[in-house]
Amino acid sequence: MQDAPEAARYEIRDGDRLLGLAAYDRRGDRVVFTHTEIDPDAGGSGLGGKLVRAALDDVRSRGERVVPRCSFVRGWIERHPEYGDLVDRTDA
């Protein structure tokens, strides 16, 4: 997983092939996740969860907060309450 700030998204790749992305909009110290997409050919492999976990770990390491506008990210955080402290509840 890597942050691709020029594209405003976190990406998971296999070589040059993009397998998934988590799009965001940075607003100061907040990362607003707007959309998550996984290549249908890679579906069912848990890549979405791996991508979101790595993205949230990166956000945590930067001392930032999350606004989960994307339903996939929001649902993932709900299923993993240990990440709930990252959510900026003033704009969630």
Side-chain angles (χ1 to χ4, degrees):
M1 188 284 309
Q2 64 186 22
D3 186 8
E6 67 284 352
R9 65 190 189 190
Y10 286 93
E11 300 176 340
I12 192 163
R13 293 180 167 273
D14 181 13
D16 289 339
R17 182 174 167 225
L18 180 65
L19 300 177
L21 63 91
Y24 62 77
D25 180 21
R26 286 197 187 274
R27 298 182 186 164
D29 68 345
R30 297 183 313 156
V31 180
V32 181
F33 284 96
T34 57
H35 179 71
T36 303
E37 187 173 324
I38 299 296
D39 183 328
D41 293 335
S45 59
L47 285 180
K50 291 176 188 176
L51 174 61
V52 170
R53 180 183 302 273
L56 294 177
D57 287 344
D58 185 61
V59 169
R60 186 185 303 278
S61 75
R62 296 171 188 245
E64 298 173 328
R65 308 282 291 163
V66 170
V67 178
R69 295 255 166 83
C70 167
S71 61
F72 185 85
V73 173
R74 187 172 46 255
W76 193 92
I77 292 171
E78 288 171 1
R79 290 187 305 279
H80 298 86
E82 65 273 22
Y83 286 86
D85 64 306
L86 291 175
V87 177
D88 182 343
R89 305 234 180 253
T90 63
D91 195 21

